[in-house]
Amino acid sequence: MSQDRPAGVPDDAGPDDEFEAPVRGSAEELLDAGAHSDLDAMRHSAAHVMAEAVLDLFPGARLGIGPAIQDGFYYDFELPRPVTPDDLAAIETRMGASVAADHPFIRRELPPAEGRSFFVERRQPYKVEILDDLAAKSKAAGEPTPVTSTYQHGDFIDLCKGPHVASTGRIGPFKLLSVAGAYWRGDEHRPMLQRIYGTVWGSQADLDQYLWRRAEAKKRDHRRLGVQLDLFSFHDVSPGSAFWHPRGQMIWRTLEGSMRELQLRRGYQEISTPILVNEKLWLQSGHLPLYADNMFLLQVEGQTFGLKPMNCPESTFIYRSRLRSYRDLPLRYNEYGRLHRNERSGTLSGLTRVRQFIQDDAHIYVRPDQLADEIEALLGEVREAYSWVGLTPRFAFATKPDKALGDPMLWEKAEGLIKEALDRSGSQYVVKPKDGTFYAPKIDIYIDDALGREWQMATIQADLTMLPEQFDLTYIDEHGQPQRPIAIHRAIYGSLERFIGILVEHFAGAFPLWLAPVQAAIIPIADRHLPPAEELAGVLRGRGLRVEVDASDNRMQNKIRLAQEQKIPYMLVLGDREVEGRTAAPRTRAGEQQPAEDWTALADRLAAESAARGL
Ligand SMILES: [Zn+2]
Ligand SMILES: [Zn+2]
């Protein structure tokens, strides 16, 4: 799935919500029960039981498919009317009866013709369509049509390859969650079916925990919190491109500032390259044939230009602007380039699926003998940056796919060096065999957020051919001979837009002090306390702190409530006593009342806390 993605194009960065199931188009995909573990097998089995219940309640219902997915299962149905919440409750009750009856799942193989007529007689055209597709495919390949594999529990028989649990009694505590429209085979020209989602777990405690997580995720939805906290908005005049409000932009700049500080410390040099580029560049890099549909292309003086969807090829112009010696490497070019990708408007979603975004991107040119050290250092950079927000990255090492460009010896060597770096770094990682891109072995970065949801973040790719070969990059080695460098593509946050969306949900909007757009709210009790409040603000701002004075005529309790709703880390209430002693007693957003401190000491303490990027 990732193998045809050009350089700098991350894999689909993970589903936006628990239910974004992959589209299943081919007959094989439609028959895949999605059961890769015992838990998945139970989830898929629950889908059978749900289909049985739906057929009971809606005789004549036509069945689509019912695979296990992350955290649950679904089944697609063609029904005479929309499913209501009352229907879901009734379906659940029927399902409970089937589980209580503990029907065994029994597999039966039918000869192809018999299998087909079975589903024709039961008026299940979608099942017949899958069988016909399989038969056509076998015929084209000169192979016999496979037998029809069915599973029965109770009176219900489904077209299925399994696996399942032994009997319906093995299905744990479950709940039906929602209904959504889903085109048959993901094709908008085919009928829209009703997809019923459910979840099932091994124990009641696991189910309760999941339902809590789901409710919490809804409350934390960054699209909702983004409005409440005045961070960003979206408007029809530019779909999929955020309008950053001052507070959102401050989070943006603070994250960027931390990364710039790390990059300077690590010897990066920042570059900036054009957004509007002639298509010739994308032809040379090999992006255009694969990626033209996702690019915004426009005509300028009879030639086709595109808005850059990734930064990669442009850094090679800076590399080639001078003759490079082995002594010049590594060359670390970082760039915060504004990127555009033409995602379909129907798929856009908050900050996690956008048309315009900026990555904390870098292209690092190394000699092959420097690869392991550089990768090890990069893994350290990733761990450091994620520690600022209290997250521990996990890594997946994706190796050479079957179809790969470049010298197999070089691949083998590069993979060995990356593995060495991963082992030396002490990082936790898994190997994903053959999951690299066709030009690069890569390391994918994952995190689990506060709700235990997994997110795929950015990647580190060791590009052996795409930039070095297509753009004929060389350096002169110690013997005066030209050699090819390796180009490492790497981002740490990835898209800043998406990263902020994830952080908003991870922190439920309550950003740590160092990242909070407003770090302290100063709350004068009466109008006469307003001038000293401005004076205190000056003291705090003098130490680089971000503060706001609430000069409204709201009552004090209202001002405190508003600051709490805005999740501002500290509130500083000023009355006669505080003004007279030039002190302030901070109150945290969690409601903790701290002892009074004088203004200078308070400014020093908060500035130190912020600089330490504590959580
Ligand atoms: Zn099945
Ligand atoms: Zn790149």
Side-chain angles (χ1 to χ4, degrees):
M1 71 184 184
S2 62
Q3 302 187 358
D4 296 316
R5 291 243 147 184
V9 183
D11 292 339
D12 173 28
D16 289 333
D17 60 52
E18 61 209 317
F19 290 138
E20 196 173 294
V23 171
R24 291 158 179 263
S26 73
E28 286 80 6
E29 286 166 340
L30 293 168
L31 273 178
D32 181 355
H36 312 293
S37 68
D38 290 350
L39 188 57
D40 288 341
M42 182 173 79
R43 288 174 172 158
H44 167 65
S45 304
H48 277 247
V49 172
M50 178 165 74
E52 174 199 16
V54 169
L55 269 183
D56 271 1
L57 291 163
F58 296 90
R62 291 173 167 181
L63 307 183
I65 56 166
I69 54 172
Q70 188 181 0
D71 297 330
F73 60 91
Y74 68 78
Y75 212 116
D76 291 341
F77 302 99
E78 187 181 308
L79 301 171
R81 62 168 175 81
V83 169
T84 65
D86 284 348
D87 292 329
L88 289 186
I91 296 166
E92 270 183 5
T93 305
R94 298 260 177 152
M95 288 174 70
S98 182
V99 169
D102 196 20
H103 302 297
F105 281 95
I106 301 160
R107 178 158 194 248
R108 272 198 208 88
E109 287 185 351
L110 304 176
E114 205 178 307
R116 187 179 191 282
S117 24
F118 177 86
F119 287 102
V120 169
E121 280 160 26
R122 300 226 164 184
R123 296 193 175 82
Q124 292 299 343
Y126 300 110
K127 304 290 182 187
V128 173
E129 182 180 324
I130 295 172
L131 290 173
D132 286 348
D133 267 27
L134 281 180
K137 211 161 187 181
S138 308
K139 195 174 172 195
E143 289 162 5
T145 307
V147 293
T148 304
S149 170
T150 66
Y151 274 87
Q152 174 167 10
H153 75 271
D155 294 331
F156 177 74
I157 301 174
D158 204 352
L159 172 67
C160 186
K161 292 198 303 188
H164 306 91
V165 289
S167 63
T168 56
R170 304 286 180 90
I171 294 172
F174 63 88
K175 182 155 181 55
L176 300 187
L177 300 170
S178 59
V179 187
Y183 290 109
W184 172 239
R185 309 184 95 158
D187 179 347
E188 65 250 43
H189 305 299
R190 304 296 306 275
M192 166 86 83
L193 306 181
Q194 294 190 69
R195 176 167 296 177
I196 303 180
Y197 287 104
T199 189
V200 55
W201 294 82
S203 70
Q204 188 64 42
D206 285 353
L207 174 63
D208 291 345
Q209 164 73 13
Y210 170 73
L211 293 175
W212 171 84
R213 226 172 359 117
R214 187 165 178 270
E216 190 63 23
K218 273 192 183 154
K219 275 193 269 173
R220 291 172 179 233
D221 188 324
H222 74 274
R223 291 164 292 193
R224 203 177 64 77
L225 282 174
V227 173
Q228 185 190 319
L229 303 178
D230 197 16
L231 303 180
F232 55 82
S233 54
F234 286 89
H235 302 279
D236 290 345
V237 291
S238 188
S241 305
F243 286 67
W244 288 99
H245 298 203
R247 290 184 178 187
Q249 181 69 0
M250 182 54 76
I251 294 172
W252 217 105
R253 287 295 174 210
T254 305
L255 285 169
E256 187 192 39
S258 291
M259 188 55 71
R260 279 210 166 93
E261 181 271 313
L262 179 151
Q263 285 167 340
L264 276 176
R265 190 170 5 110
R266 283 269 303 127
Y268 284 81
Q269 306 175 75
E270 187 159 330
I271 60 172
S272 178
T273 62
I275 292 176
L276 187 60
V277 192
N278 195 299
E279 69 170 347
K280 283 188 291 195
L281 178 75
W282 311 107
L283 270 175
Q284 188 177 353
S285 70
H287 286 102
L288 199 65
L290 293 169
Y291 210 63
D293 287 350
N294 288 80
M295 286 178 67
F296 290 103
L297 298 171
L298 50 156
Q299 298 300 314
V300 182
E301 296 178 347
Q303 300 204 39
T304 305
F305 281 65
L307 300 180
K308 66 176 171 183
M310 71 281 299
N311 298 304
C312 315
E314 291 190 69
S315 69
T316 64
F317 288 80
I318 298 174
Y319 184 95
R320 284 176 299 161
S321 65
R322 284 196 175 355
L323 188 64
R324 304 294 178 181
S325 140
Y326 68 100
R327 297 172 205 262
D328 297 332
L329 305 183
L331 267 177
R332 305 184 182 95
Y333 291 140
N334 69 292
E335 172 160 24
Y336 293 88
R338 194 168 290 258
L339 308 179
H340 290 84
R341 294 183 188 169
N342 193 1
E343 307 278 356
R344 288 163 63 177
S345 54
T347 67
L348 300 172
S349 169
L351 292 175
T352 48
R353 191 69 75 122
V354 291
R355 281 185 174 164
Q356 177 194 272
F357 60 100
I358 298 181
Q359 287 183 333
D360 62 326
D361 205 1
H363 294 91
I364 303 173
Y365 297 94
V366 296
R367 305 189 306 256
D369 66 285
Q370 295 171 321
L371 183 63
D373 285 346
E374 193 63 24
I375 298 278
E376 190 184 356
L378 282 172
L379 294 170
E381 291 176 24
V382 172
R383 280 198 306 268
E384 181 186 342
Y386 281 84
S387 76
W388 301 334
V389 286
L391 294 168
T392 306
R394 285 180 287 108
F395 301 102
F397 174 30
T399 60
K400 181 169 173 282
D402 289 330
K403 271 192 268 173
L405 289 180
D407 179 358
M409 295 280 287
L410 191 54
W411 269 89
E412 203 173 307
K413 197 170 162 210
E415 288 184 353
L417 291 168
I418 293 171
K419 186 174 182 322
E420 183 191 321
L422 278 162
D423 290 336
R424 273 202 324 231
S425 74
S427 302
Q428 190 194 345
Y429 74 96
V430 295
V431 178
K432 285 199 203 156
K434 300 185 180 184
D435 201 36
T437 60
F438 61 87
Y439 58 87
K442 62 172 182 155
I443 299 172
D444 292 329
I445 301 165
Y446 295 86
I447 55 126
D448 293 321
D449 73 6
L451 296 185
R453 295 175 299 181
E454 180 182 89
W455 299 92
Q456 186 181 341
M457 310 304 284
T459 65
I460 299 171
Q461 305 179 342
D463 174 8
L464 310 173
T465 55
M466 176 73 74
L467 296 187
E469 298 280 343
Q470 302 292 98
F471 292 93
D472 192 21
L473 305 183
T474 57
Y475 66 90
I476 304 302
D477 71 11
E478 54 269 61
H479 309 296
Q481 297 302 309
Q483 300 291 346
R484 285 259 184 264
I486 295 173
I488 301 173
H489 305 248
R490 81 101 183 92
I492 293 180
Y493 299 143
S495 145
L496 266 290
E497 276 73 2
R498 183 167 178 276
F499 192 66
I500 291 172
I502 291 169
L503 289 186
V504 168
E505 298 191 6
H506 173 64
F507 290 118
F511 289 98
L513 181 72
W514 76 273
L515 194 51
V518 179
Q519 297 174 305
I522 301 174
I523 299 175
I525 293 179
D527 277 353
R528 65 177 178 281
H529 306 126
L530 196 49
E534 291 293 354
E535 203 186 327
L536 172 58
V539 172
L540 295 167
R541 287 183 186 130
R543 299 303 317 268
L545 292 159
R546 303 183 289 271
V547 299
E548 281 184 4
V549 176
D550 186 342
S552 70
D553 57 3
N554 287 331
R555 297 164 60 88
M556 182 187 73
Q557 288 307 330
N558 275 345
K559 290 180 180 178
I560 289 175
R561 189 177 49 77
L562 285 172
Q564 260 165 346
E565 277 172 12
Q566 293 299 304
K567 316 213 179 198
I568 297 173
Y570 288 106
M571 283 150 263
L572 309 171
V573 179
L574 285 193
D576 289 335
R577 190 157 44 118
E578 289 79 13
V579 169
E580 197 176 318
R582 291 176 74 79
T583 63
R587 181 193 161 96
T588 68
R589 65 187 156 204
E592 183 206 349
Q593 186 64 57
Q594 299 182 339
E597 287 169 86
D598 77 58
W599 290 358
T600 322
L602 177 67
D604 287 346
R605 177 169 74 85
L606 296 188
E609 247 178 66
S610 177
R613 295 199 195 99
L615 291 170

